[in-house]
């Protein structure tokens, strides 16, 4: 078995050093060494007994099971069973095809729906939909639980198996069954190429550089550096770094990114193994190549900001005094390593905690914003099924969503109760007239798509977190 570099949800370029403390000093050293030796021997004996039991079960199956069974199938089942016993959503065994799929994801060379997921009980939970992807456009949210793909339950499947079901050729459709709170609904998405570029920029308020980082993959640090230089030439005097809905990625990239904004010697993060020992990562030329940003910055985050995105945000906040603006982040505070087997299968296993510069473990808690600010509630409305036309007399949750969207745009002031009555019909007619659509009073696919496009545009115009950042950086 060949050990590869660790993965932080995805792969991270990091070589772990196991530091062994040597105890010296008379009888104390002898006594400690004696008990340590006994412990090691005891552990070895326990391991040997366990392996003998596993071997006995394997031999029994091969010898006595009533029909032939593939040796690799039994072996893979045993390995997956051991990993499953850890009850850790980030530890996983992947066969050759599954490992290839994950490696493609790391290099951003894949097509699918565009959502970072983790195991949640028997099903799969969305950590974050990636901006500009089918998952984001369909209104999927962090915390949504995927229970079925194309009508087939994914209960008991690994993350990779479930993800492979969701992936497919660009342009093909996949239907997910989503559980959100106490409700369950189906959402059909059209698979697309997931964006390779992870950094987007623009100049806001004429002098503030806005940089959106959608994920943290192999080229993100270099993309960020290029974006900063580009905005510098345009006269940016401060930066807003947006990691909202950023599901994270490579730890080595997070180190490089954070180091650009920190003075040399400042702590970026800490990694703590199970024996309590910590490895401290500090800003310096080895990470940023000597490139430093000295202008004021603010970081935007939300519940979809996870893993490497949280490392980046925490480092800038605690070691460079950058304000965090938005909502509580996801809270993914563990580090994984990946081991290769000769048959090209891989085992991903959690090996350590990562801590913020101040030593905080944010796992399942997340980072708390300095200033709480969020999109308006209508930003989180589920997309309406465009396969149906909604008209007078209809009653459904989608009509209720339609009413909320019309309310957001100022066309509806009645009760959003899901009943398509005369008031709703009039609101639809008024919207259609204003939008230059055929006035029917029915919400057909063309009307719904047009309406939702307008709602999303209003969401962008009412970005309270960005407005707060601009206010702080303009002072």
């Amino acid at each position: 078995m060949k050990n590869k570099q660790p993965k932080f949800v995805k792969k991270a370029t990091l070589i772990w050093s196991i530091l062994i403390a040597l105890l010296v000093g008379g009888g104390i050293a002898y006594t400690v060494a004696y008990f340590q030796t006994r412990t090691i021997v005891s552990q070895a004996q326990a391991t040997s007994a366990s392996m003998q039991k596993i071997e006995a079960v394997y031999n029994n199956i091969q010898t006595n099971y009533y029909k032939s069974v593939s040796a690799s199938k039994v072996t893979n089942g045993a390995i997956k069973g051991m990993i499953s016993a850890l009850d850790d959503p980030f530890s996983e065994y992947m066969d050759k095809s599954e490992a290839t799929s994950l490696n493609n994801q790391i290099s951003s060379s894949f097509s699918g729906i565009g959502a970072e997921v983790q195991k949640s009980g028997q099903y799969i939970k969305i950590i974050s939909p990636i901006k500009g992807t089918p998952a984001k456009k369909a209104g999927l949210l962090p915390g949504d639980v995927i229970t079925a793909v194309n009508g087939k339950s994914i209960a008991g499947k690994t993350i990779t198996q479930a993800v492979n079901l969701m992936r497919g050729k660009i342009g093909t459709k996949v239907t997910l069954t989503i559980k959100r709170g106490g409700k369950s609904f189906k959402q059909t998405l059209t698979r697309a190429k997931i964006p390779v570029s992870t950094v987007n920029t623009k100049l806001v308020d004429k002098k503030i550089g806005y940089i959106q980082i959608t994920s943290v993959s192999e080229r993100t640090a270099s993309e960020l550096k290029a974006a900063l230089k580009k905005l510098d030439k345009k006269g940016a005097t401060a930066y807003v770094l947006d990691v909202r809905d950023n599901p994270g990625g490579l730890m080595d990239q997070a180190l490089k990114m954070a180091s650009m904004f920190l003075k040399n010697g400042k702590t970026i993060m800490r990694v703590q193994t199970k024996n309590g020992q910590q490895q401290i990562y500090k800003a310096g030329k080895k990470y940023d190549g000597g490139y430093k940003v000295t202008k004021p910055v603010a970081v935007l985050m939300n519940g979809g900001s996870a893993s490497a995105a949280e490392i980046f945000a925490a480092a800038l906040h605690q070691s460079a005094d950058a304000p965090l603006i938005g909502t509580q982040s996801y809270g993914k505070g563990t580090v994984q390593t990946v081991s290769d087997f000769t048959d090209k299968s891989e085992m991903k296993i959690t090996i350590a905690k990562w801590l913020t510069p101040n030593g905080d473990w944010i796992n399942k808690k997340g980072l708390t914003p300095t200033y709480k600010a969020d999109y308006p509630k209508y930003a989180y409305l589920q997309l309406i099924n465009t396969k149906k036309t909604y008209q007078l007399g209809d009653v459904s949750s989608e009509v209720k969503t339609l009413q909320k969207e019309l309310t957001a745009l100022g066309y509806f002031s009645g009760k959003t109760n899901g009943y398509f009555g005369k008031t709703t019909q009039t609101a639809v007619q008024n919207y259609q007239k204003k939008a230059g659509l055929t006035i029917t009073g029915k919400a057909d696919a063309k009307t719904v798509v047009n309406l939702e496009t307008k709602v999303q545009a209003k969401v962008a115009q009412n970005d309270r977190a960005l407005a707060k950042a601009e206010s702080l950086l303009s002072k």
Side-chain angles (χ1 to χ4, degrees):
M1 184 173 72
K2 177 186 174 184
N3 284 331
K4 290 180 72 175
Q5 296 171 323
K7 288 184 182 175
F8 179 80
V9 176
K10 303 171 187 175
K11 290 189 177 177
T13 44
L14 174 65
I15 299 175
W16 297 99
S17 299
I18 306 301
L19 303 178
I20 302 174
L22 300 177
L23 299 175
V24 294
I28 295 177
Y30 174 82
T31 303
V32 171
Y34 170 73
F35 283 109
Q36 284 181 334
T37 302
R38 287 195 61 180
T39 300
I40 292 170
V41 171
S42 177
Q43 289 174 341
Q45 290 172 341
T47 301
S48 178
S50 297
M51 294 308 297
Q52 287 174 6
K53 187 174 182 180
I54 293 171
E55 186 177 1
V57 172
Y58 176 85
N59 289 334
N60 196 356
I61 291 173
Q62 292 297 321
T63 304
N64 299 320
Y65 190 60
Y66 80 102
K67 62 180 181 180
S68 297
V69 60
S70 165
S72 62
K73 184 176 182 179
V74 174
T75 302
N76 288 343
I79 296 171
K80 288 183 178 181
M82 285 189 281
I83 298 296
S84 177
L86 300 175
D87 195 24
D88 177 8
F90 302 109
S91 294
E92 183 181 10
Y93 171 75
M94 296 161 282
D95 61 27
K96 180 180 177 180
S97 62
E98 293 170 338
T100 300
S101 176
L102 178 65
N103 291 332
N104 285 340
Q105 178 180 345
I106 292 165
S107 61
S108 299
S109 58
F110 64 97
S111 62
I113 67 168
E116 187 76 11
V117 296
Q118 74 168 61
K119 191 77 172 172
S120 178
Q122 288 290 298
Y123 300 108
I124 301 298
K125 182 169 70 175
I126 293 177
I127 295 177
S128 178
I130 300 171
K131 188 174 178 66
T133 65
K136 184 67 176 177
K137 293 176 181 177
L140 299 187
L141 302 174
D144 283 349
V145 176
I146 302 170
T147 59
V149 178
N150 290 330
K152 294 183 179 179
S153 173
I154 60 171
K157 292 190 179 296
T158 66
I159 296 174
T160 309
Q161 288 170 336
V163 167
N164 285 340
L165 290 175
M166 290 183 272
R167 287 188 184 160
K169 292 182 179 179
I170 295 173
T172 59
K173 296 185 181 297
V174 59
T175 299
L176 307 181
T177 301
I178 305 292
K179 184 177 181 182
R180 180 182 297 168
K183 297 182 180 180
S184 185
F185 60 92
K186 291 185 178 180
Q187 186 73 56
T188 299
L189 298 84
T190 301
R191 296 180 178 101
K193 182 74 174 178
I194 305 306
V196 174
S197 175
T198 61
V199 177
N200 303 304
T201 66
K202 64 181 179 180
L203 205 60
V204 297
D205 196 24
K206 296 183 179 180
K207 60 180 181 179
I208 298 174
Y210 170 83
I211 301 176
Q212 179 192 52
I213 307 169
T214 58
S215 63
V216 185
S217 61
E218 291 174 341
R219 294 178 293 275
T220 302
S222 60
E223 287 180 18
L224 175 59
K225 184 177 179 179
L228 288 162
K229 289 183 175 181
K230 178 181 177 182
L231 290 169
D232 265 343
K233 289 181 179 179
K234 290 184 176 182
T237 58
Y239 298 106
V240 176
L241 303 166
D242 190 350
V243 294
R244 289 175 295 183
D245 295 322
N246 183 323
L250 302 180
M251 190 175 117
D252 72 306
Q253 293 294 303
L255 292 170
K256 292 177 181 179
M257 292 158 59
S259 187
M260 297 180 199
F261 298 88
L262 273 56
K263 293 180 180 179
N264 288 343
K266 285 285 187 178
T267 299
I268 302 173
M269 66 179 294
R270 303 166 185 264
V271 172
Q272 181 175 304
T273 55
K274 65 181 179 182
N275 62 10
Q277 293 185 4
Q278 291 186 13
Q279 184 169 354
I280 301 175
Y281 295 83
K282 296 184 177 183
K285 193 173 182 179
K286 64 177 289 188
Y287 294 122
D288 56 47
Y291 178 78
K292 293 292 185 181
V293 177
T294 57
K295 297 174 183 177
V297 299
V299 181
L300 308 186
M301 67 178 191
N302 65 4
S305 306
S307 100
E310 291 176 296
I311 290 176
F312 178 67
L316 267 63
H317 177 54
Q318 295 185 3
S319 291
D321 296 323
L324 300 180
I325 304 168
T327 58
Q328 202 80 6
S329 68
Y330 181 80
K332 198 275 188 182
T334 56
V335 179
Q336 286 70 44
T337 187
V338 172
S339 299
D340 284 343
F341 295 94
T342 54
D343 61 357
K344 296 187 178 179
S345 61
E346 294 182 353
M347 181 178 71
K348 176 162 67 80
I349 188 171
T350 299
I351 59 168
K353 301 175 180 179
W354 73 262
L355 311 176
T356 68
N358 291 351
D360 302 324
W361 192 38
I362 65 164
N363 202 53
K364 297 183 179 179
K365 295 183 293 185
L367 295 165
T368 300
T370 315
Y371 301 96
K372 189 172 181 179
D374 198 3
Y375 290 115
K377 288 184 179 180
Y378 55 80
Y380 300 102
L381 292 175
Q382 180 188 330
L383 291 188
I384 299 171
N385 184 356
T386 55
K387 291 183 179 180
K388 295 175 62 178
T389 294
Y390 306 92
Q391 55 191 328
L392 196 65
D394 285 350
V395 180
S396 68
S397 60
E398 277 149 325
V399 171
K400 188 174 184 177
T401 300
L402 173 69
Q403 292 169 332
K404 289 181 178 180
E405 291 182 342
L406 289 166
T407 299
L409 296 176
Y411 291 90
F412 184 74
S413 58
K415 291 184 178 180
T416 54
N417 54 12
Y419 172 64
F420 200 119
K422 286 285 187 180
T423 307
T424 304
Q425 183 185 53
T426 301
V428 171
Q429 289 173 333
N430 290 337
Y431 179 79
Q432 289 171 330
K433 182 179 180 180
K434 183 71 173 179
L437 302 170
T438 302
I439 303 172
T440 63
K442 298 178 182 180
D444 58 4
K446 192 171 183 179
T447 299
V448 169
V449 171
N450 189 288
L451 178 64
E452 289 179 332
T453 301
K454 289 287 196 304
V455 169
Q456 289 303 311
K458 186 168 183 180
V459 168
Q461 292 167 4
N462 289 272
D463 189 341
R464 296 165 184 164
L466 178 56
K468 180 63 178 178
E470 290 180 33
S471 172
L472 291 172
L473 296 174
S474 296
K475 291 180 180 179

